[in-house]
DNA sequence: CCGACCAAGATTGTCGACACTTTTTAGTTT
DNA sequence: AAACTAAAAAGTGTCGACAATCTTGGTCGG
């Protein structure tokens, strides 16, 4: 609930290796550096690896192995694993161990239903509570996306990241910290995991852009009811799109 | 996401003390008993203490002290604390420590908005996906509550627990595991904390009961749209009620 | 008298070691 | 050869100790 302000594409200032700076030879006890614990860095690094598929979905996680790999103690690693569990990125069983979650069609569709509910509400609240600054940022973002669309007309369009920006900003504008935390700090990591690994570059190109545009207009007009309806429809359309795609594959 | 079936009033089979069975003298290493780790039991016990106010909201939590009190190592206690953090029942800062969250008016109202969104969706899904068993259980519950209402006519009615039953069952009937987990295993503990400590015995007596009744009828009829609307209205009414009550106090 | 600096105490983060469980492997029996 | 049993290997849960950090109370200077 704390980090309400938070940029879309990974605030964390850590790159590949979790152990920032000089990597090795830690005699024993060399804790927190820069107001960030070792467990924090392990968590961020592992989260990235899981979301982007470098640690395969469904694979087992060995504590001793990972601890060696990161040159950390099992204790710190364990703390990171527990945080991953609270994001539902891994599952742990007592005395058995941890596994990365599986990606299932059902799981994906369930996420869409939850997003429809929460982001619909976020959109309504954004229309009611948005600050002047929110309005400026939303409009700027839309212009930026429009330019990108002009440029890459016909191609994959709008990287998934563009879509992420959009949803992220609107949720921020709701000014409901619980909602922001639930979506941006919890659910979206799983959403990204599905996007990365099932590689869903939405072919809904400028249709999605037009929908985004209308939603922001409703927010600007302060029409919460309309904003919610449009957002829910937008997400449901995306869900239908995926649903068709999946049923074709099988 | 696992324990989808789960009874309202605390499934956990542990009573006051976290250390079940013989309490003391653990030489070193006497782990898991009954497929439940020590950290698990500490977590459940502390969660209860926080929700019911035996550990005051806003108070600081000392790891060494609690560890002594429960006769456990700091490591196991730490694991329990991290789980509490993921429920947003405590907040931790690096190198500073943990505090029980504060109960604020704003926080309570934020929860209502999220519940309106999620439970509205749960209700819609329940109407669409409910099994025969769900229908039987929902109807039985309603009858049980009606009897209780007849009995205690005029008094506080319907303990908050009755209301909890209701919302719990409907969420279960949605058959969306993510939704069930988010509400029943995460959000509801904070809701209970507010109820216990701000002592909100809803004076909305049989009005609430009638609303519950209509919602279940919509679910029985398979009318998802109506079910969602009624649930959202029900929660919003409850929110308004609290809002008035709070503004009167100040 | 108030604010800044400093030292002692308490608290948190991290680590390595040990106990108990689960899984794997080797051996024996039917 | 397949299946059951038993031992060993690997893995997880728990603990106590140590190092770094934060907090508290006191002291000094303005």
């Amino acid at each position: 609930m704390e980090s309400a302000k938070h940029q879309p594409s990974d605030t964390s200032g850590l790159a590949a290796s979790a152990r920032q700076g000089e990597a090795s030879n830690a005699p024993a006890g060399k804790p927190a550096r820069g107001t960030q614990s070792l467990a924090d860095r392990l968590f961020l690094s592992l989260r990235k690896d899981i979301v982007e598929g470098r640690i395969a979905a469904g694979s087992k996680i060995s504590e001793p192995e990972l601890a060696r790999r990161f040159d950390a103690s099992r204790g710190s690693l364990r703390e990171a694993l527990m945080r991953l569990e609270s994001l539902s990125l891994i599952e742990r069983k007592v005395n058995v161990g941890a596994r990365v979650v599986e990606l299932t069609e059902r799981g994906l569709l369930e996420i869409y239903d939850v997003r429809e509910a929460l982001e619909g509400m976020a959109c309504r609240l954004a229309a009611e509570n948005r600050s002047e600054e929110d309005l400026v940022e939303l409009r700027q973002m839309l212009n930026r996306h429009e330019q990108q669309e002009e440029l890459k007309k016909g191609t994959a369009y709008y990287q998934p990241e563009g879509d992420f920006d959009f949803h992220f900003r609107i949720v921020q504008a709701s000014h409901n910290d619980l909602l922001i935390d639930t979506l941006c700090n919890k659910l979206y990591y799983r959403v990204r995991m599905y996007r990365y690994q099932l590689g869903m570059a939405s072919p809904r190109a400028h249709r999605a852009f037009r929908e985004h545009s209308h939603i922001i207009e409703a927010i600007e007009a302060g029409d919460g009811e309309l904003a919610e309806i449009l957002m829910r429809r937008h997400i449901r359309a995306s869900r239908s799109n995926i649903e068709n795609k999946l049923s074709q594959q099988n």
Side-chain angles (χ1 to χ4, degrees), chain A:
Chain A
M1 200 87 69
E2 45 192 22
S3 63
K5 212 75 182 193
H6 181 142
Q7 287 300 69
S9 31
D10 205 357
T11 303
S12 68
L14 94 166
S17 163
R19 200 125 207 176
Q20 65 181 191
E22 67 298 342
S24 48
N25 59 11
K30 190 207 286 184
R33 177 191 178 135
T35 71
Q36 198 175 231
S37 72
L38 170 57
D40 269 322
R41 295 196 294 276
L42 291 174
F43 165 67
L44 291 173
S45 181
L46 285 172
R47 187 178 66 186
K48 208 171 183 209
D49 286 348
I50 291 175
V51 166
E52 300 180 5
R54 276 187 296 279
I55 301 179
S59 65
K60 186 167 186 328
I61 290 179
S62 163
E63 290 183 5
E65 183 196 326
L66 268 189
R68 275 196 305 275
R69 178 126 64 92
F70 284 108
D71 188 28
S73 79
R74 261 185 61 225
S76 299
L77 178 72
R78 240 149 160 317
E79 180 167 339
L81 290 182
M82 290 183 359
R83 297 230 200 122
L84 291 172
E85 184 184 19
S86 81
L87 291 188
S88 294
L89 290 180
I90 70 174
E91 289 173 342
R92 292 178 54 196
K93 283 183 192 167
V94 180
N95 277 319
V96 172
R99 305 191 81 89
V100 180
V101 294
E102 300 271 5
L103 299 181
T104 68
E105 180 172 344
R106 180 176 171 187
L108 179 56
L109 295 178
E110 284 188 351
I111 289 177
Y112 270 106
D113 285 339
V114 171
R115 284 186 62 193
E116 179 184 334
L118 288 180
E119 295 196 30
M121 176 60 76
C123 212
R124 169 187 290 265
L125 294 176
E128 294 169 357
N129 305 333
R130 79 272 189 283
S131 67
E132 280 306 317
E133 192 188 339
D134 291 325
L135 288 178
V136 173
E137 287 186 14
L138 284 170
R139 180 51 68 181
Q140 283 179 348
M141 177 190 65
L142 204 60
N143 290 338
R144 220 165 39 238
H145 290 175
E146 190 171 16
Q147 289 178 355
Q148 286 187 5
E149 192 190 16
E150 297 280 345
L151 253 87
K152 313 191 178 180
K153 202 159 242 166
T155 69
Y157 165 54
Y158 222 6
Q159 286 72 337
E161 292 310 321
D163 193 59
F164 244 101
D165 270 6
F166 173 76
H167 291 273
F168 220 95
R169 286 275 179 234
I170 290 193
V171 174
Q172 300 288 336
S174 75
H175 293 276
N176 178 318
D177 287 342
L178 174 57
L179 206 43
I180 294 169
D181 183 59
T182 304
L183 285 170
C184 300
N185 298 146
K186 303 213 161 65
L187 197 56
Y188 281 171
Y189 290 101
R190 207 129 49 100
V191 173
R192 272 201 248 205
M193 188 174 169
Y194 274 100
R195 286 222 178 142
Y196 263 99
Q197 304 198 29
L198 298 195
M200 297 121 72
S202 74
R204 306 199 314 120
H206 36 270
R207 183 171 144 207
F209 176 77
R210 274 210 315 277
E211 290 175 6
H212 286 187
S213 185
H214 289 151
I215 289 171
I216 289 183
E217 283 168 20
I219 291 176
E220 287 172 334
D223 189 340
E225 194 178 333
L226 178 60
E228 174 167 10
I229 291 174
L230 291 178
M231 176 61 94
R232 288 186 66 160
R233 190 185 290 178
H234 173 62
I235 293 177
R236 226 175 307 145
S238 184
R239 184 195 142 123
S240 292
N241 186 42
I242 293 297
E243 213 166 2
N244 289 334
K245 209 167 170 181
L246 288 175
S247 67
Q248 281 179 350
Q249 287 182 1
N250 302 352

